[in-house]
Amino acid sequence: MVSRKGALRAYWLAAVVCLGGFLFGYDSGIIGGVLTLKSFENDYRYTKHESTRVNSLAVSLQNLGAFVACFAIWPVTHRIGRRISIMICSFIFCIGVIVQTINTHSLPAFYVARVIAGLGLGGATVVVPMYNSEMAPKELRGQVGCFFQLFFTFGVFTSYWIDYGVSKDLSAVSKQWQIPVGLQLVPGALLGLGMLTLKESVRWLTKRGEHEKAWESLKWMRASDSEDVRLEMEEIRTGVAIEIKVTEGFKLSELLQGNNFARVFTGFVVFLGQQSTGATAFAYFAPQFFKLITGTGGTQSLLLTGIFGAVKVISCGFFVLFLSERVGRRQALIWGAVAMAVCFFIVAGIDKDKPPPGGGVVTSAGIATIAFIYLFVMIYNMSWGALPWPYVSEIFPTRIREPGIAVGVASQWLFNFVYTLATPYMIASMAWGTFLLWGMFNLIIAILTFLFLKETRGRSLEEITADFQGKQDVLANKLNDGEVSPAMSSDGPLKGDGNARVERV
């Protein structure tokens, strides 16, 4: 049972580290609105004819930096720990934001700054969920694990309304776009500074053999040194011993072998599916999409975007609080994709048959398309928005879990890059056909999910592993039978005899 003080510390840790999710969401939302501001266009001296290329590169290059960071951060966090790694990611992100905020009048300088910020952001999105899960008590792990997605949607919501505010209330001068861009420094700096209030990961310290520090970290995190906490420390040591044993001699080539390849490919495709729903394109380019749908621009499209962000927060919060552990992952993914396809087909049909008249007039057809777009984002946040993260983390056995998840997250950033690069050109050349394409993608996603994905909710990791390989984990049985002893140091307060029973992984 978690003490009140221990629960408060768990929530505090989640709130601090999930500022990384807020950063992800805020940046996703802010850039699309900034690129619609006349002040930004004037300062960087590009024409309307060049705007499609600028939109594409300004968004996608940061995602490319994040993709690279997914692989670069693994050896760093393995060597220096989770806490310092997050602080470094925060520092790198802030450097990128500072350069973006300075009015250099140089698009290449802005692009480079976006890549730098992407390196920090991408690294944080890898380390934050890892650190959060390693430190949270098991009774709260599921709930605080959802904080990342919730903070992401709140970041998007905040950015949309800031864009709307500066567009409506400030004249078209440099500070109009510098304020929303520069405000990224606030959560970016708070993430790094907030880590000073937290301890290093208990699990990482244990793997390093620093058992006294691990014990002190766990005592602080649980706000107790009771017998239950001592038993938890023993379980962590035994679990780390299992992990060291099962990852001994690991080679990356194993990811391409048999059942392992099936898992890795599943993780890769699940995140490809998430990016192919069209939600990422909307997160980055919502003002441009609403202009296409309604024929209105300026503050009206930004207002619609702000409401879009509010719908995201409400639907995600509802799912996290009431549905996340009550619905099957597979069924939610299948029917979510079907419903999103229907929404896009309807929007495409309306936009083709009754195109917006322009001139700031929103017709009844425009209102209908807006309603279906809001319905789409509600469905997304209760299916493909939140569920790929826990699903992918559940399908890998311990031996390949870290590289397997890395491939999945890298897939997310890779196709984030691809779609943000392509979307401005799709809007410019395909118009209503863009919605038709997203609808077709969602229909394909639903069919493939029905045919190939397995249910994981309410099942042990052992049962999920058996689905992929048709046999149980032999090593865990041997550990429980005492055939393999966790050779751990006894530097800490516990002197365990190495025969503790453990749950199979």
Side-chain angles (χ1 to χ4, degrees), residues 79-267:
R79 184 176 181 83
I80 66 174
R82 318 306 191 210
R83 184 169 167 267
I84 301 300
S85 294
I86 293 174
M87 293 171 72
I88 291 173
C89 289
S90 168
F91 177 76
I92 293 172
F93 178 81
C94 287
I95 293 297
V97 171
I98 290 171
V99 178
Q100 288 178 62
T101 307
I102 297 171
N103 189 0
T104 62
H105 301 288
S106 168
L107 280 172
F110 188 80
Y111 295 152
V112 170
R114 295 285 294 170
V115 173
I116 294 171
L119 291 170
L121 183 60
T125 59
V126 172
V127 183
V128 163
M130 185 192 316
Y131 178 65
N132 200 13
S133 65
E134 289 175 346
M135 293 292 278
K138 60 185 178 183
E139 295 87 352
L140 301 176
R141 187 173 294 127
Q143 188 179 40
V144 300
C146 291
F147 275 26
F148 191 87
Q149 178 68 16
L150 188 60
F151 273 54
F152 171 82
T153 58
F154 190 68
V156 172
F157 166 78
T158 303
S159 69
Y160 287 162
W161 284 103
I162 288 175
D163 274 344
Y164 174 69
V166 297
S167 173
K168 186 174 185 295
D169 298 329
L170 296 181
S171 58
V173 294
S174 297
K175 67 179 181 180
Q176 187 187 44
W177 66 265
Q178 287 176 314
I179 288 173
V181 172
L183 281 175
Q184 294 177 96
L185 286 171
V186 177
L190 287 176
L191 174 62
L193 294 173
M195 295 307 298
L196 296 173
T197 68
L198 304 175
K199 301 286 188 180
E200 182 54 84
S201 164
V202 177
R203 189 175 184 83
W204 182 82
L205 288 169
T206 302
K207 288 183 74 172
R208 300 269 296 182
E210 299 182 35
H211 301 297
E212 279 291 348
K213 289 183 179 180
W215 172 238
E216 292 300 318
S217 178
L218 185 64
K219 282 197 302 181
W220 178 84
M221 192 65 211
R222 302 295 181 263
S224 171
D225 61 354
S226 66
E227 186 61 27
D228 285 343
V229 178
R230 291 175 178 270
L231 289 173
E232 183 181 358
M233 186 73 252
E234 185 68 14
E235 290 172 0
I236 290 172
R237 289 188 178 186
T238 305
V240 168
I242 295 172
E243 185 173 325
I244 291 172
K245 184 65 180 178
V246 299
T247 57
E248 186 178 3
F250 171 77
K251 298 178 180 179
L252 285 176
S253 59
E254 293 179 33
L255 297 178
L256 303 177
Q257 297 172 359
N259 296 314
N260 286 348
F261 178 75
R263 294 183 179 94
V264 172
F265 186 70
T266 298

Side-chain angles (χ1 to χ4, degrees), residues 203 239 242-243 246-247 396-403 473 505:
R203 189 175 184 83
I242 295 172
E243 185 173 325
V246 299
T247 57
F396 294 105
T398 301
R399 184 170 180 84
I400 64 167
R401 184 164 295 138
E402 289 193 1
D473 191 327
V505 294

Side-chain angles (χ1 to χ4, degrees), residues 54 78 87 103 117 148 167 375 390 453 455:
V54 173
H78 179 75
M87 293 171 72
N103 189 0
F148 191 87
S167 173
L375 179 60
L453 289 197
E455 182 58 74

Side-chain angles (χ1 to χ4, degrees), residues 4 40 42 60 71 103 115 131 150 152 157 223 282 288 298 328 364 420 433 456 463:
R4 180 179 178 83
F40 185 85
N42 291 339
S60 63
F71 298 101
N103 189 0
V115 173
Y131 178 65
L150 188 60
F152 171 82
F157 166 78
F282 256 97
Q288 290 86 339
S364 57
T420 53
T456 62
E463 291 172 328

